PDB file of all heavy atoms in Angstrom:
ATOM      1  N   THR A  95      10.842  86.110 -39.297  1.00 89.00           N
ATOM      2  CA  THR A  95      10.248  85.872 -40.617  1.00 89.00           C
ATOM      3  C   THR A  95      10.757  84.503 -41.219  1.00 89.00           C
ATOM      4  O   THR A  95      10.035  84.048 -42.190  1.00 89.00           O
ATOM      5  CB  THR A  95      10.687  86.963 -41.648  1.00 89.00           C
ATOM      6  OG1 THR A  95      12.185  86.948 -41.614  1.00 89.00           O
ATOM      7  CG2 THR A  95      10.271  88.397 -41.063  1.00 89.00           C
ATOM      8  N   GLY A  96      11.680  83.961 -40.669  1.00 88.00           N
ATOM      9  CA  GLY A  96      12.064  82.599 -41.118  1.00 88.00           C
ATOM     10  C   GLY A  96      12.980  82.623 -42.379  1.00 88.00           C
ATOM     11  O   GLY A  96      13.052  81.805 -43.079  1.00 88.00           O
ATOM     12  N   VAL A  97      13.609  83.762 -42.521  1.00 89.00           N
ATOM     13  CA  VAL A  97      14.613  83.888 -43.640  1.00 89.00           C
ATOM     14  C   VAL A  97      15.910  84.375 -43.121  1.00 89.00           C
ATOM     15  O   VAL A  97      16.062  84.652 -41.822  1.00 89.00           O
ATOM     16  CB  VAL A  97      14.017  84.889 -44.645  1.00 89.00           C
ATOM     17  CG1 VAL A  97      12.755  84.365 -45.373  1.00 89.00           C
ATOM     18  CG2 VAL A  97      13.830  86.255 -44.065  1.00 89.00           C
ATOM     19  N   ARG A 130       8.570  76.272 -38.851  1.00 91.00           N
ATOM     20  CA  ARG A 130       7.259  76.813 -39.180  1.00 91.00           C
ATOM     21  C   ARG A 130       7.205  76.423 -40.759  1.00 91.00           C
ATOM     22  O   ARG A 130       8.217  76.084 -41.409  1.00 91.00           O
ATOM     23  CB  ARG A 130       7.416  78.368 -39.141  1.00 91.00           C
ATOM     24  CG  ARG A 130       6.165  79.128 -39.499  1.00 91.00           C
ATOM     25  CD  ARG A 130       6.536  80.606 -39.493  1.00 91.00           C
ATOM     26  NE  ARG A 130       6.621  81.113 -38.110  1.00 91.00           N
ATOM     27  CZ  ARG A 130       7.088  82.328 -37.849  1.00 91.00           C
ATOM     28  NH1 ARG A 130       7.497  83.183 -38.812  1.00 91.00           N
ATOM     29  NH2 ARG A 130       7.229  82.757 -36.559  1.00 91.00           N
ATOM     30  N   PRO A 131       5.972  76.451 -41.274  1.00 89.00           N
ATOM     31  CA  PRO A 131       5.721  76.165 -42.744  1.00 89.00           C
ATOM     32  C   PRO A 131       6.725  76.923 -43.622  1.00 89.00           C
ATOM     33  O   PRO A 131       6.767  78.193 -43.286  1.00 89.00           O
ATOM     34  CB  PRO A 131       4.376  76.336 -42.925  1.00 89.00           C
ATOM     35  CG  PRO A 131       3.769  76.061 -41.598  1.00 89.00           C
ATOM     36  CD  PRO A 131       4.634  76.523 -40.634  1.00 89.00           C
ATOM     37  N   ALA A 132       7.408  76.470 -44.528  1.00 86.00           N
ATOM     38  CA  ALA A 132       8.362  77.253 -45.339  1.00 86.00           C
ATOM     39  C   ALA A 132       7.596  78.201 -46.246  1.00 86.00           C
ATOM     40  O   ALA A 132       6.437  77.890 -46.818  1.00 86.00           O
ATOM     41  CB  ALA A 132       9.205  76.168 -46.136  1.00 86.00           C
ATOM     42  N   LEU A 133       8.087  79.340 -46.498  1.00 81.00           N
ATOM     43  CA  LEU A 133       7.621  80.308 -47.390  1.00 81.00           C
ATOM     44  C   LEU A 133       7.691  79.815 -48.796  1.00 81.00           C
ATOM     45  O   LEU A 133       8.712  79.392 -49.328  1.00 81.00           O
ATOM     46  CB  LEU A 133       8.387  81.644 -47.209  1.00 81.00           C
ATOM     47  CG  LEU A 133       8.318  82.282 -45.812  1.00 81.00           C
ATOM     48  CD1 LEU A 133       9.163  83.587 -45.768  1.00 81.00           C
ATOM     49  CD2 LEU A 133       6.887  82.692 -45.500  1.00 81.00           C
ATOM     50  N   GLY A 134       6.546  79.797 -49.523  1.00 74.00           N
ATOM     51  CA  GLY A 134       6.508  79.494 -50.910  1.00 74.00           C
ATOM     52  C   GLY A 134       6.592  78.025 -51.150  1.00 74.00           C
ATOM     53  O   GLY A 134       6.822  77.621 -52.373  1.00 74.00           O
ATOM     54  N   GLU A 135       6.617  77.142 -50.176  1.00 68.00           N
ATOM     55  CA  GLU A 135       6.810  75.707 -50.347  1.00 68.00           C
ATOM     56  C   GLU A 135       5.506  75.110 -49.978  1.00 68.00           C
ATOM     57  O   GLU A 135       4.895  75.480 -48.944  1.00 68.00           O
ATOM     58  CB  GLU A 135       7.980  75.177 -49.583  1.00 68.00           C
ATOM     59  CG  GLU A 135       9.304  75.737 -50.044  1.00 68.00           C
ATOM     60  CD  GLU A 135       9.838  74.999 -51.280  1.00 68.00           C
ATOM     61  OE1 GLU A 135       9.209  73.894 -51.593  1.00 68.00           O
ATOM     62  OE2 GLU A 135      10.695  75.466 -51.871  1.00 68.00           O
ATOM     63  N   LYS A 138       6.048  71.930 -46.766  1.00 84.00           N
ATOM     64  CA  LYS A 138       7.427  71.757 -46.250  1.00 84.00           C
ATOM     65  C   LYS A 138       7.606  72.666 -45.021  1.00 84.00           C
ATOM     66  O   LYS A 138       7.153  73.695 -44.916  1.00 84.00           O
ATOM     67  CB  LYS A 138       8.306  72.301 -47.309  1.00 84.00           C
ATOM     68  CG  LYS A 138       8.526  71.254 -48.554  1.00 84.00           C
ATOM     69  CD  LYS A 138       9.345  70.084 -48.092  1.00 84.00           C
ATOM     70  CE  LYS A 138       9.596  69.163 -49.305  1.00 84.00           C
ATOM     71  NZ  LYS A 138      10.491  67.928 -48.917  1.00 84.00           N
ATOM     72  N   ALA A 140      10.189  74.520 -42.361  1.00 90.00           N
ATOM     73  CA  ALA A 140      11.555  75.211 -42.521  1.00 90.00           C
ATOM     74  C   ALA A 140      11.937  75.597 -41.076  1.00 90.00           C
ATOM     75  O   ALA A 140      11.022  75.883 -40.204  1.00 90.00           O
ATOM     76  CB  ALA A 140      11.556  76.461 -43.461  1.00 90.00           C
TER      77      ALA A 140
END
Side-chain angles (χ1 to χ4, degrees):
T95 59
V97 295
R130 183 187 288 170
L133 297 174
E135 294 283 347
K138 285 287 186 180

